[in-house]
Amino acid sequence: MKKQQLSFLLSIISVFCSINIFAQGTIKGIIKDSLENEPLLGAEVRINDLQGNFVTGGATDFIEGVFNISINAGTYEMVCSYMGYASNSQSVTIKNGETTEITINMAEEVNVLKVVTKTASRFETPVGKSSISLDVVKPSLVENTNATKVDEVITKVPGVTVVDGQANIRGGSGFSYGAGSRVLLLVDDLPLLTGDAGQPNWRDIPVENISQIEVVKGAASALYGSSALNGIINIRTAYAKNKPVTKIALFQSSFLNPKRAETAWWNRNKVIVNDADESAPLASDTIAPAFLSGRNGYRKPMELGLQFAHRRKIGKFDLTLGGNYFYQDSYRMGAYERKYRFNSNMRYRFNTKVNIGANFNINYGQSASFFIWGNEMPLVSPFFTTGDTVVNDIYVPIANSITESVIFRVNIDPYFTAYDKKNGKHRLQTRYYHVNNQNGQNQSNLSNLGYAEYQYQRKFKINSSFFGDFKFVTGAVGMYTYAESQLFGNATYNIVNAAFYIQGEQGLIKEKNSDNTKLSITFGARVEYNRIESPDSVQVDPTQAGLILNPEPLSQEAKPVFRLGLNYELTPFTFIRASWGQGYRYPTIAERYITTQIGTGFTSLAIRANPELQSETGWSTEIGIKQGFKIGNWKGFADLSGFWTEYQNMMEFTFGGGDPQQTGLGNIFFQSVNIDDTRIRGFEFSLMGTGNIGKVDFNVLAGYTFIAPEFQNWDDSVKGPVIQALSSANYNILKYRNVHTFKFDIECFLIKKALSIGLSLNYNSRMDNIDKAFENIIADPSWDSDVFGLGYYRQNFNSGEFLNLSARIGYRHSFKNSSKNEIAAVKISVVGKNLLNQEYMIRPALVDAPTNITVRLDVEF
């Protein structure tokens, strides 16, 4: 009897199972790029019921871009999404026991409010729904402006300034000579700041293989750590698509004479550096290497470069290759570059859930850097043809201040990505970054950085008419740096950084029959630990041979930081956001322990160590509104934001020492110090849009930024005079900031987009405040500071205010086969920079380039 009961029970179960199977169907499909007709790997598929409630979902595999989902028979809404593409929504009907096959074509997102980024939240988020200010730069702007380094193109982003290689956002930093950065540079979500100095090497970034640049404005330490106190610049490199692509570019730049032709040292019969004696060696004898010399025995300014990129798929293997050669003879006498770079991205897709990869980049070459001008040539008629006139040698360095280098830098970035059964994403990212700079003047440095980060992401589906999806990310970071350098007193240093972070984002107020939510709330936290092991005794003053006891040879510190963000979709085109985030930055080895000397004799400038330097903390808050618009054929967005940032114990390099007018450079020194508590307030307006007038298409990017950078504890009777003694301004304003900046870039396309014409304008207001010692410096104390030196130059020529106008034109011709598919293309471009030939400087004593013209040839096949 028991056997009969068991048999009957099994029969019932079998019937129910067969009914259940029979009541199900399958939807199988492939998602493709509508233009290039190639699969999109990892695209998300959501299947909702007709009331908009989530039923099931999946993703296309990482091999062929296909998906396969079993579901009960019925009619559903299927929503497909992919980063950088417009969402695709359509109705599907599933029949019992049948497989429904479908091909979905998705187009790139043209609505700038919906361009997707990952940097601000680690999740794919449309720009309009970000709770913090974020701008996106497409690779076409890099190519069309012939930007040989990324910093040349990010300066077109409103609120972003680069001062002598150091990026700052909305006045968050001043001038820091190659050490420390409050803006974190990322390449594919991994930090690319040197382990010892915390500085970006812009020449390491493969401009030939960029897919997108994302700029986050405001404190992002909760997700990214110490160096993200002021913001993030994240460069995403390009991956292979189904159709192999090869690109080759060749360019050459020529420099015109400056507006004051007498400052063009390359046209003179003789150039003498820091010596009125006719028997002194000519500058041409001190410039190395000596090849490609001009008629006067030294080279004329020029730049040329060759770069290539190749991307292809080989079965389950994705391969990207890139290379670059850059040659420069600078308009700054004695400075040059000869750089070779090679890079590769490799990825292997085992199956739909697991892939591994490794990216690497090698940069090798020679260069010479120019730190500070000479600007000291009085009554030069014995040598020049200008008569008894004063020539400000703005492009000639102080004697013996040129530093030649042989550099070798390499980063290798293995990674592993896997998806679990609940569609949680596990990612392990690692980086090894080796920097070996063999510098002259006892300034060589070596560092090895190892970085590892484990990250887990998951999106929790919530079946609710009010709550949307909950996005969760958590991770742990470990970083170790070994550094040794002549710059750091010929000592070795060990640095350890460890962190744990967590962030959640909850959507609220779900729209009817949609997955979209009106309100999103973001909360994040991070605990960071820093440790530096340094020698018991260190050198502080490069002019003194003795050592002093290190007050803190083992320095360690841990701090938590938090962030909170809100974004509310008032209308489908109006987004209101608010954010608050804490920041924290630990001093780098270079900021604490650098000790070196630039130049010799009374024209030398010392850079001193400060082993007592403390970490800085701060917070940043912002409220803004992003308004999308569509007027006729024009669409885009306008963004208005107000921001407030405060720092405690802010670190900055600053001048100290005696009176430069009495001693020349003498006992003037440069040192990183905790200047005080500071505050930066301001607002920013930006505009981005696309449209057409008749058959002419336009792209527009513009923005205005106002900042009020000041000390929090300013007191005219107490602290004011102390600060004023070190500053060139007589009121409360931080150094090396421009209060007003305006950016404008427009590009139009004609003749079926074959012809492109662009115009770019950058305006910076006067830099009111710099180091007073810097302004008073003259190379010879016997000369009159009313005729020579930076103070005289700022009063009579340029004080940091400038209007830089650039233009570009290009024509692209494509070759097509009989099926009208493009098989190759050639583009010729001409780019003109500083067309007004304005004599200007962003950093004092470092005048920027005169008018220069670039001709560029691009070939793609």
Side-chain angles (χ1 to χ4, degrees):
M1 184 66 180
K2 291 183 178 179
K3 291 183 179 180
Q4 292 176 343
Q5 290 176 339
L6 179 60
S7 177
F8 178 75
L9 180 61
L10 290 175
S11 298
I12 295 297
I13 293 174
S14 177
V15 169
F16 272 103
C17 288
S18 63
I19 291 174
N20 186 54
I21 292 172
F22 184 74
Q24 279 194 328
T26 301
I27 180 168
K28 180 180 179 181
I30 183 170
I31 301 179
K32 293 184 175 183
D33 181 298
S34 61
L35 183 63
E36 299 185 4
N37 196 38
E38 68 169 70
L40 300 178
L41 310 181
E44 183 181 9
V45 180
R46 293 171 61 96
I47 297 181
N48 303 327
D49 62 24
L50 297 182
Q51 287 70 47
N53 299 312
F54 174 76
V55 178
T56 186
T60 59
D61 63 32
F62 286 91
I63 300 174
E64 298 177 339
V66 300
F67 65 91
N68 196 318
I69 300 173
S70 295
I71 190 173
N72 293 333
T75 300
Y76 301 90
E77 180 192 35
M78 184 172 67
V79 181
C80 302
S81 59
Y82 190 74
M83 184 173 178
Y85 286 72
S87 295
N88 181 293
S89 179
Q90 57 185 283
S91 177
V92 294
T93 299
I94 310 299
K95 296 181 179 180
N96 292 341
E98 295 185 8
T99 296
T100 300
E101 296 189 1
I102 187 170
T103 298
I104 299 165
N105 293 303
M106 296 181 65
E108 289 193 14
E109 180 60 73
V110 294
N111 184 343
V112 290
L113 286 172
K114 293 184 178 180
V115 171
V116 177
T117 72
K118 286 185 177 180
T119 305
S121 64
R122 302 272 193 169
F123 274 96
E124 296 182 4
T125 304
V127 170
K129 284 187 169 291
S130 175
S131 63
I132 192 170
S133 283
L134 188 149
D135 287 312
V136 177
V137 178
K138 292 297 184 180
S140 58
L141 190 60
V142 179
E143 177 185 312
N144 293 346
T145 59
N146 193 55
T148 63
K149 296 186 297 179
V150 170
D151 59 329
E152 296 174 5
V153 72
I154 62 171
T155 56
K156 298 183 182 298
V157 176
V160 179
T161 306
V162 179
V163 181
D164 200 13
Q166 294 284 341
N168 78 77
I169 296 174
R170 295 172 172 174
S173 300
F175 162 56
S176 176
Y177 179 52
S181 176
R182 293 187 186 90
V183 176
L184 180 60
L185 175 65
L186 301 173
V187 176
D188 293 323
D189 298 322
L190 288 172
L192 196 68
L193 298 177
T194 57
D196 54 356
Q199 67 171 334
N201 287 312
W202 300 104
R203 193 67 71 189
D204 287 352
I205 299 171
V207 293
E208 62 275 9
N209 268 324
I210 290 177
S211 66
Q212 187 164 285
I213 302 173
E214 301 170 9
V215 180
V216 176
K217 304 172 184 178
S221 294
L223 268 183
Y224 291 95
S226 180
S227 296
L229 181 62
N230 184 219
I232 300 168
I233 297 170
N234 191 5
I235 290 90
R236 300 197 178 278
T237 57
Y239 264 99
K241 297 183 178 180
N242 273 5
K243 179 184 176 182
V245 173
T246 301
K247 295 183 178 182
I248 300 173
L250 175 68
F251 69 87
Q252 192 268 330
S253 301
S254 299
F255 292 79
L256 280 62
N257 287 334
K259 186 172 292 186
R260 291 192 297 152
E262 68 273 15
T263 64
W265 56 269
W266 52 89
N267 289 332
R268 301 175 188 167
N269 295 324
K270 288 185 178 181
V271 178
I272 297 176
V273 179
N274 299 97
D275 202 322
D277 182 2
E278 189 174 8
S279 64
L282 297 179
S284 57
D285 297 330
T286 68
I287 298 178
F291 52 86
L292 290 182
S293 296
R295 67 180 184 277
N296 295 319
Y298 37 82
R299 304 183 302 273
K300 291 194 68 173
M302 67 170 294
E303 293 179 356
L304 60 88
L306 173 67
Q307 63 187 42
F308 80 92
H310 178 72
R311 299 189 283 270
R312 70 181 306 125
K313 289 182 181 292
I314 308 171
K316 296 181 181 181
F317 182 67
D318 302 340
L319 176 66
T320 297
L321 299 174
N324 180 287
Y325 171 69
F326 180 72
Y327 176 103
Q328 179 201 62
D329 288 331
S330 178
Y331 52 91
R332 296 171 181 142
M333 193 179 75
Y336 69 88
E337 284 191 75
R338 315 280 189 266
K339 297 289 179 63
Y340 305 83
R341 185 181 65 242
F342 179 76
N343 60 87
S344 176
N345 293 359
M346 296 172 288
R347 179 174 64 182
Y348 185 79
R349 293 165 278 119
F350 288 98
N351 51 48
T352 61
K353 299 291 187 180
V354 179
N355 65 82
I356 63 171
N359 305 338
F360 75 87
N361 187 67
I362 298 174
N363 193 351
Y364 171 80
Q366 293 178 291
S367 63
S369 60
F370 181 115
F371 175 66
I372 187 172
W373 65 13
N375 192 21
E376 54 170 81
M377 290 293 183
L379 305 178
V380 290
S381 58
F383 311 116
F384 306 150
T385 59
T386 55
D388 291 341
T389 59
V390 172
V391 175
N392 294 106
D393 257 340
I394 56 178
Y395 297 120
V396 177
I398 283 179
N400 302 309
S401 66
I402 292 290
T403 302
E404 291 197 270
S405 304
V406 177
I407 66 103
F408 177 73
R409 297 192 291 263
V410 58
N411 63 276
I412 304 172
D413 312 335
Y415 65 87
F416 169 83
T417 304
Y419 292 84
D420 58 32
K421 293 181 179 180
K422 296 183 178 180
N423 212 30
K425 181 180 179 181
H426 303 261
R427 185 170 176 84
L428 177 64
Q429 302 177 98
T430 63
R431 169 164 286 166
Y432 169 69
Y433 190 21
H434 171 79
V435 177
N436 188 354
N437 297 323
Q438 296 298 318
N439 302 334
Q441 301 201 36
N442 297 314
Q443 295 180 8
S444 296
N445 64 297
L446 170 72
S447 68
N448 291 287
L449 181 150
Y451 179 94
E453 177 180 359
Y454 166 76
Q455 183 183 115
Y456 174 73
Q457 295 183 14
R458 186 176 171 190
K459 184 186 293 185
F460 293 87
K461 312 294 184 183
I462 300 177
N463 290 322
S464 167
S465 60
F466 182 80
F467 291 97
D469 296 340
F470 176 69
K471 300 175 182 178
F472 174 78
V473 59
T474 185
V477 175
M479 184 168 61
Y480 169 77
T481 302
Y482 170 85
E484 59 182 30
S485 173
Q486 294 173 321
L487 289 166
F488 312 141
N490 288 306
T492 61
Y493 298 81
N494 295 277
I495 307 102
V496 174
N497 172 268
F500 171 79
Y501 62 86
I502 185 171
Q503 178 165 293
E505 181 178 319
Q506 178 63 61
L508 302 170
I509 315 177
K510 182 183 288 187
E511 292 182 328
K512 188 176 181 180
N513 298 329
S514 172
D515 292 326
N516 185 54
T517 55
K518 291 286 191 178
L519 177 66
S520 61
I521 301 176
T522 304
F523 174 80
R526 182 185 184 102
V527 177
E528 183 146 340
Y529 169 79
N530 288 283
R531 172 189 174 107
I532 295 181
E533 296 179 10
S534 53
D536 292 332
S537 298
V538 294
Q539 184 180 14
V540 172
D541 189 343
T543 64
Q544 305 294 325
L547 303 179
I548 67 166
L549 288 177
N550 188 349
E552 200 173 8
L554 177 58
S555 172
Q556 52 187 342
E557 185 176 83
K559 286 186 182 294
V561 290
F562 303 92
R563 71 162 297 218
L564 178 67
L566 303 171
N567 184 289
Y568 183 72
E569 183 179 335
L570 189 63
T571 75
F573 296 98
T574 307
F575 299 86
I576 299 173
R577 67 181 183 277
S579 67
W580 172 86
Q582 289 182 303
Y584 163 59
R585 191 169 76 87
Y586 197 69
T588 64
I589 298 174
E591 288 174 299
R592 268 192 177 172
Y593 296 108
I594 187 171
T595 174
T596 189
Q597 194 169 353
I598 296 172
T600 59
F602 69 84
T603 60
S604 65
L605 175 65
I607 300 178
R608 291 186 185 179
N610 183 5
E612 297 182 352
L613 188 67
Q614 301 299 307
S615 63
E616 63 183 2
T617 58
W619 57 265
S620 178
T621 189
E622 176 191 37
I623 185 169
I625 181 170
K626 193 179 293 285
Q627 176 63 57
F629 63 83
K630 185 175 181 182
I631 305 173
N633 295 319
W634 287 82
K635 54 188 172 183
F637 69 80
D639 189 286
L640 177 64
S641 61
F643 52 87
W644 186 312
T645 301
E646 292 193 1
Y647 295 108
Q648 288 74 48
N649 254 1
M650 190 179 200
M651 292 183 281
E652 281 200 348
F653 270 94
T654 188
F655 274 101
D659 184 354
Q661 290 182 302
Q662 298 299 319
T663 61
L665 296 181
N667 66 342
I668 300 299
F669 62 88
F670 205 34
Q671 186 180 49
S672 185
V673 298
N674 297 108
I675 58 171
D676 202 353
D677 298 344
T678 61
R679 175 174 53 237
I680 303 164
R681 295 171 291 183
F683 67 88
E684 183 173 281
F685 175 78
S686 60
L687 178 70
M688 178 180 289
T690 62
N692 62 72
I693 300 176
K695 295 183 179 181
V696 181
D697 295 325
F698 289 87
N699 291 336
V700 178
L701 172 64
Y704 165 74
T705 307
F706 167 81
I707 61 171
E710 57 189 13
F711 293 95
Q712 293 186 42
N713 304 315
W714 182 270
D715 186 334
D716 288 330
S717 62
V718 182
K719 190 165 290 187
V722 176
I723 295 174
Q724 287 177 11
L726 303 173
S727 305
S728 64
N730 59 4
Y731 68 100
N732 185 8
I733 183 173
L734 299 179
K735 290 179 289 191
Y736 304 108
R737 270 82 168 180
N738 305 93
V739 172
H740 306 276
T741 58
F742 175 71
K743 314 285 181 73
F744 178 79
D745 188 273
I746 185 170
E747 191 162 32
C748 63
F749 301 89
L750 306 89
I751 315 177
K752 296 182 179 179
K753 294 191 175 182
L755 178 65
S756 61
I757 302 173
L759 182 70
S760 180
L761 183 151
N762 276 20
Y763 169 77
N764 279 18
S765 65
R766 170 185 167 87
M767 186 178 287
D768 283 350
N769 194 9
I770 67 172
D771 284 290
K772 193 169 187 177
F774 212 164
E775 191 169 65
N776 289 341
I777 286 175
I778 56 174
D780 189 325
S782 66
W783 293 338
D784 187 353
S785 62
D786 290 336
V787 180
F788 302 102
L790 188 55
Y792 171 79
Y793 184 87
R794 279 167 52 84
Q795 285 183 352
N796 292 274
F797 296 101
N798 185 268
S799 60
E801 181 179 15
F802 65 88
L803 179 66
N804 194 334
L805 181 68
S806 302
R808 56 193 184 270
I809 184 170
Y811 183 79
R812 185 178 188 273
H813 179 73
S814 60
F815 300 88
K816 299 181 180 181
N817 58 21
S818 56
S819 301
K820 303 297 182 180
N821 295 320
E822 183 178 291
I823 57 174
V826 176
K827 181 180 179 181
I828 184 77
S829 307
V830 179
V831 181
K833 300 179 181 179
N834 191 12
L835 294 179
L836 300 178
N837 207 11
Q838 186 168 18
E839 187 177 302
Y840 72 97
M841 56 185 177
I842 298 175
R843 192 266 277 174
L846 196 71
V847 177
D848 280 79
T851 299
N852 54 96
I853 306 296
T854 298
V855 178
R856 174 173 169 136
L857 174 67
D858 287 90
V859 179
E860 180 179 343
F861 55 91

